[in-house]
Amino acid sequence: MAYPLDRLDIQILAALQENNQATAQALAERVPLSPSAILRRIRQYREEGVIAADVSILAPSTVGERISVLIMVQLERHSPADVAAFRAHLSRSPHVQVCVEISGVYDISCIAIFRGMEEFNAFTDSEIAEHPAVRRYEASFIKKRVKFTTAVPL
């Protein structure tokens, strides 16, 4: 069920998506509420699951060379149990940043990040190509991030 958002909720959440480290005082300068009222709303968002997580987003290039790959997977078997097992399998991998079920020729699409080709090859060989639910997969290397955001349009 969707959480009912008023105009002030939208302003607070938009500001938090830009910088979740903003102080209540800084938020109060953007939103016409007192810092304590803003903190109460933020606590409510966390309790209700509107804010799912507070994370730090790293710039991959600053922590060493990385390659990002879009991996499209076509499954051999589509039973709910097989699909759920493969989803869970990919979800456990620290390389996989995004994993979604899609419609069309492919069933699963992932964005994964690796230290280099050797790590990529080891992952695809052991975690994808050898998995019994996989018919085939394709991988495309991401040349440049044009846009990257975790913000939800409000």
Side-chain angles (χ1 to χ4, degrees), residues 109-140:
S109 178
C110 297
I111 295 176
I113 193 164
F114 305 94
R115 288 186 183 91
M117 285 302 296
E118 190 173 309
E119 194 172 71
F120 163 75
N121 287 332
F123 173 81
T124 55
D125 289 349
S126 66
E127 303 299 320
I128 295 181
E130 294 296 320
H131 196 282
V134 173
R135 173 180 288 163
R136 69 186 187 105
Y137 74 94
E138 288 185 18
S140 296

Short mmCIF file of all heavy atoms in Angstrom, two decimals, residues 109-140:
data_model
loop_
_atom_site.label_atom_id
_atom_site.label_comp_id
_atom_site.label_asym_id
_atom_site.label_seq_id
_atom_site.Cartn_x
_atom_site.Cartn_y
_atom_site.Cartn_z
N SER A 109 17.61 -9.16 -16.05
CA SER A 109 18.64 -8.19 -16.43
C SER A 109 19.35 -7.74 -15.16
O SER A 109 18.70 -7.45 -14.16
CB SER A 109 18.01 -6.99 -17.14
OG SER A 109 19.00 -6.04 -17.47
N CYS A 110 20.67 -7.70 -15.22
CA CYS A 110 21.47 -7.30 -14.06
C CYS A 110 22.53 -6.30 -14.48
O CYS A 110 23.02 -6.34 -15.60
CB CYS A 110 22.21 -8.50 -13.47
SG CYS A 110 21.14 -9.78 -12.84
N ILE A 111 22.87 -5.44 -13.55
CA ILE A 111 24.07 -4.63 -13.68
C ILE A 111 25.00 -5.14 -12.59
O ILE A 111 24.62 -5.21 -11.42
CB ILE A 111 23.80 -3.13 -13.53
CG1 ILE A 111 22.91 -2.65 -14.68
CG2 ILE A 111 25.12 -2.35 -13.48
CD1 ILE A 111 22.51 -1.20 -14.59
N ALA A 112 26.20 -5.52 -13.01
CA ALA A 112 27.18 -6.06 -12.06
C ALA A 112 28.49 -5.31 -12.25
O ALA A 112 28.77 -4.76 -13.31
CB ALA A 112 27.37 -7.56 -12.30
N ILE A 113 29.28 -5.32 -11.20
CA ILE A 113 30.56 -4.59 -11.22
C ILE A 113 31.69 -5.54 -10.80
O ILE A 113 31.51 -6.36 -9.90
CB ILE A 113 30.48 -3.34 -10.32
CG1 ILE A 113 31.66 -2.41 -10.56
CG2 ILE A 113 30.30 -3.68 -8.87
CD1 ILE A 113 31.45 -1.01 -10.00
N PHE A 114 32.82 -5.43 -11.52
CA PHE A 114 33.95 -6.34 -11.31
C PHE A 114 35.25 -5.56 -11.30
O PHE A 114 35.36 -4.48 -11.89
CB PHE A 114 34.00 -7.39 -12.43
CG PHE A 114 32.72 -8.15 -12.58
CD1 PHE A 114 31.75 -7.74 -13.50
CD2 PHE A 114 32.47 -9.25 -11.80
CE1 PHE A 114 30.56 -8.43 -13.62
CE2 PHE A 114 31.28 -9.95 -11.91
CZ PHE A 114 30.31 -9.54 -12.83
N ARG A 115 36.28 -6.14 -10.68
CA ARG A 115 37.61 -5.52 -10.65
C ARG A 115 38.31 -5.63 -11.99
O ARG A 115 39.23 -4.89 -12.26
CB ARG A 115 38.46 -6.16 -9.57
CG ARG A 115 38.03 -5.78 -8.18
CD ARG A 115 38.99 -6.32 -7.11
NE ARG A 115 38.49 -5.99 -5.81
CZ ARG A 115 37.68 -6.75 -5.08
NH1 ARG A 115 37.28 -7.91 -5.55
NH2 ARG A 115 37.27 -6.36 -3.90
N GLY A 116 37.90 -6.56 -12.82
CA GLY A 116 38.52 -6.72 -14.13
C GLY A 116 37.93 -7.91 -14.87
O GLY A 116 36.99 -8.56 -14.38
N MET A 117 38.47 -8.20 -16.04
CA MET A 117 37.95 -9.27 -16.89
C MET A 117 38.06 -10.64 -16.24
O MET A 117 37.17 -11.47 -16.42
CB MET A 117 38.68 -9.27 -18.24
CG MET A 117 38.24 -8.16 -19.17
SD MET A 117 36.45 -8.19 -19.52
CE MET A 117 36.31 -9.74 -20.40
N GLU A 118 39.12 -10.87 -15.52
CA GLU A 118 39.29 -12.18 -14.87
C GLU A 118 38.15 -12.44 -13.90
O GLU A 118 37.56 -13.53 -13.87
CB GLU A 118 40.64 -12.25 -14.17
CG GLU A 118 40.99 -13.63 -13.69
CD GLU A 118 42.41 -13.70 -13.15
OE1 GLU A 118 43.35 -13.25 -13.84
OE2 GLU A 118 42.56 -14.22 -12.03
N GLU A 119 37.82 -11.45 -13.10
CA GLU A 119 36.73 -11.59 -12.13
C GLU A 119 35.39 -11.73 -12.85
O GLU A 119 34.55 -12.54 -12.46
CB GLU A 119 36.73 -10.38 -11.19
CG GLU A 119 35.89 -10.57 -9.95
CD GLU A 119 36.08 -9.42 -8.97
OE1 GLU A 119 35.61 -8.30 -9.26
OE2 GLU A 119 36.71 -9.66 -7.92
N PHE A 120 35.20 -10.96 -13.92
CA PHE A 120 33.97 -11.07 -14.71
C PHE A 120 33.82 -12.47 -15.29
O PHE A 120 32.77 -13.10 -15.19
CB PHE A 120 33.96 -10.02 -15.83
CG PHE A 120 32.96 -10.32 -16.92
CD1 PHE A 120 31.61 -10.10 -16.71
CD2 PHE A 120 33.38 -10.83 -18.14
CE1 PHE A 120 30.68 -10.38 -17.71
CE2 PHE A 120 32.47 -11.11 -19.14
CZ PHE A 120 31.11 -10.89 -18.93
N ASN A 121 34.89 -12.97 -15.91
CA ASN A 121 34.85 -14.30 -16.51
C ASN A 121 34.56 -15.38 -15.48
O ASN A 121 33.77 -16.30 -15.72
CB ASN A 121 36.15 -14.61 -17.25
CG ASN A 121 36.27 -13.83 -18.54
OD1 ASN A 121 35.28 -13.48 -19.16
ND2 ASN A 121 37.50 -13.55 -18.94
N ALA A 122 35.19 -15.29 -14.33
CA ALA A 122 34.95 -16.27 -13.26
C ALA A 122 33.49 -16.23 -12.82
O ALA A 122 32.86 -17.28 -12.61
CB ALA A 122 35.88 -16.01 -12.08
N PHE A 123 32.94 -15.04 -12.69
CA PHE A 123 31.54 -14.89 -12.28
C PHE A 123 30.60 -15.50 -13.32
O PHE A 123 29.73 -16.29 -12.98
CB PHE A 123 31.21 -13.42 -12.05
CG PHE A 123 29.75 -13.17 -11.78
CD1 PHE A 123 29.23 -13.36 -10.52
CD2 PHE A 123 28.91 -12.73 -12.79
CE1 PHE A 123 27.88 -13.13 -10.26
CE2 PHE A 123 27.56 -12.50 -12.55
CZ PHE A 123 27.05 -12.70 -11.27
N THR A 124 30.76 -15.11 -14.57
CA THR A 124 29.82 -15.61 -15.58
C THR A 124 29.96 -17.12 -15.78
O THR A 124 28.96 -17.81 -15.97
CB THR A 124 29.97 -14.87 -16.92
OG1 THR A 124 31.33 -14.94 -17.36
CG2 THR A 124 29.52 -13.43 -16.80
N ASP A 125 31.19 -17.62 -15.71
CA ASP A 125 31.39 -19.06 -15.86
C ASP A 125 30.73 -19.85 -14.74
O ASP A 125 30.02 -20.82 -14.98
CB ASP A 125 32.88 -19.41 -15.93
CG ASP A 125 33.55 -18.96 -17.21
OD1 ASP A 125 32.84 -18.56 -18.16
OD2 ASP A 125 34.79 -18.99 -17.26
N SER A 126 30.95 -19.42 -13.50
CA SER A 126 30.48 -20.23 -12.36
C SER A 126 29.06 -19.87 -11.90
O SER A 126 28.33 -20.74 -11.45
CB SER A 126 31.44 -20.10 -11.19
OG SER A 126 31.44 -18.77 -10.70
N GLU A 127 28.68 -18.62 -12.01
CA GLU A 127 27.41 -18.19 -11.43
C GLU A 127 26.26 -18.10 -12.44
O GLU A 127 25.10 -18.12 -12.05
CB GLU A 127 27.56 -16.82 -10.75
CG GLU A 127 28.62 -16.79 -9.67
CD GLU A 127 28.34 -17.75 -8.53
OE1 GLU A 127 27.17 -17.87 -8.11
OE2 GLU A 127 29.29 -18.39 -8.05
N ILE A 128 26.59 -17.99 -13.72
CA ILE A 128 25.53 -17.86 -14.72
C ILE A 128 25.55 -19.03 -15.70
O ILE A 128 24.60 -19.79 -15.78
CB ILE A 128 25.62 -16.50 -15.46
CG1 ILE A 128 25.37 -15.38 -14.45
CG2 ILE A 128 24.61 -16.44 -16.60
CD1 ILE A 128 25.39 -14.00 -15.00
N ALA A 129 26.64 -19.18 -16.44
CA ALA A 129 26.68 -20.20 -17.50
C ALA A 129 26.45 -21.61 -16.97
O ALA A 129 25.81 -22.42 -17.64
CB ALA A 129 28.01 -20.12 -18.24
N GLU A 130 26.93 -21.90 -15.78
CA GLU A 130 26.79 -23.25 -15.22
C GLU A 130 25.49 -23.47 -14.47
O GLU A 130 25.20 -24.59 -14.05
CB GLU A 130 27.98 -23.54 -14.29
CG GLU A 130 29.31 -23.61 -14.99
CD GLU A 130 29.38 -24.77 -15.99
OE1 GLU A 130 28.87 -25.86 -15.69
OE2 GLU A 130 29.94 -24.55 -17.08
N HIS A 131 24.70 -22.43 -14.28
CA HIS A 131 23.45 -22.58 -13.52
C HIS A 131 22.44 -23.35 -14.36
O HIS A 131 22.23 -23.05 -15.54
CB HIS A 131 22.89 -21.21 -13.13
CG HIS A 131 21.88 -21.30 -12.05
ND1 HIS A 131 20.58 -21.68 -12.30
CD2 HIS A 131 21.97 -21.07 -10.72
CE1 HIS A 131 19.91 -21.68 -11.17
NE2 HIS A 131 20.73 -21.32 -10.19
N PRO A 132 21.79 -24.36 -13.79
CA PRO A 132 20.88 -25.21 -14.56
C PRO A 132 19.64 -24.49 -15.11
O PRO A 132 19.04 -24.96 -16.07
CB PRO A 132 20.48 -26.31 -13.57
CG PRO A 132 20.79 -25.77 -12.23
CD PRO A 132 21.91 -24.80 -12.40
N ALA A 133 19.27 -23.37 -14.55
CA ALA A 133 18.08 -22.66 -15.02
C ALA A 133 18.37 -21.76 -16.23
O ALA A 133 17.45 -21.25 -16.85
CB ALA A 133 17.48 -21.83 -13.89
N VAL A 134 19.64 -21.57 -16.56
CA VAL A 134 20.02 -20.61 -17.61
C VAL A 134 20.09 -21.28 -18.98
O VAL A 134 20.76 -22.29 -19.14
CB VAL A 134 21.37 -19.94 -17.26
CG1 VAL A 134 21.86 -19.07 -18.42
CG2 VAL A 134 21.23 -19.12 -15.99
N ARG A 135 19.40 -20.69 -19.95
CA ARG A 135 19.51 -21.14 -21.34
C ARG A 135 20.70 -20.45 -22.00
O ARG A 135 21.54 -21.09 -22.61
CB ARG A 135 18.24 -20.81 -22.12
CG ARG A 135 18.38 -21.12 -23.63
CD ARG A 135 17.14 -20.82 -24.41
NE ARG A 135 16.15 -21.82 -24.08
CZ ARG A 135 14.86 -21.70 -24.31
NH1 ARG A 135 14.39 -20.61 -24.87
NH2 ARG A 135 14.01 -22.64 -23.97
N ARG A 136 20.74 -19.11 -21.89
CA ARG A 136 21.85 -18.36 -22.46
C ARG A 136 21.90 -16.98 -21.81
O ARG A 136 20.96 -16.57 -21.14
CB ARG A 136 21.74 -18.22 -23.98
CG ARG A 136 20.62 -17.34 -24.45
CD ARG A 136 20.49 -17.39 -25.99
NE ARG A 136 19.52 -16.42 -26.43
CZ ARG A 136 19.81 -15.26 -27.02
NH1 ARG A 136 21.06 -14.93 -27.22
NH2 ARG A 136 18.86 -14.45 -27.40
N TYR A 137 23.01 -16.31 -22.03
CA TYR A 137 23.14 -14.94 -21.51
C TYR A 137 23.97 -14.12 -22.47
O TYR A 137 24.72 -14.65 -23.30
CB TYR A 137 23.75 -14.92 -20.11
CG TYR A 137 25.23 -15.20 -20.08
CD1 TYR A 137 26.15 -14.16 -20.11
CD2 TYR A 137 25.71 -16.51 -20.04
CE1 TYR A 137 27.51 -14.42 -20.10
CE2 TYR A 137 27.07 -16.77 -20.04
CZ TYR A 137 27.96 -15.72 -20.07
OH TYR A 137 29.30 -15.98 -20.07
N GLU A 138 23.82 -12.82 -22.38
CA GLU A 138 24.64 -11.87 -23.13
C GLU A 138 25.13 -10.82 -22.15
O GLU A 138 24.44 -10.48 -21.19
CB GLU A 138 23.83 -11.17 -24.23
CG GLU A 138 23.50 -12.05 -25.40
CD GLU A 138 22.81 -11.29 -26.52
OE1 GLU A 138 22.89 -10.03 -26.54
OE2 GLU A 138 22.19 -11.95 -27.35
N ALA A 139 26.31 -10.33 -22.41
CA ALA A 139 26.89 -9.29 -21.55
C ALA A 139 27.34 -8.12 -22.41
O ALA A 139 27.94 -8.32 -23.46
CB ALA A 139 28.07 -9.85 -20.76
N SER A 140 27.01 -6.93 -21.96
CA SER A 140 27.46 -5.70 -22.62
C SER A 140 28.20 -4.87 -21.59
O SER A 140 27.71 -4.66 -20.47
CB SER A 140 26.27 -4.90 -23.15
OG SER A 140 25.59 -5.63 -24.15
#
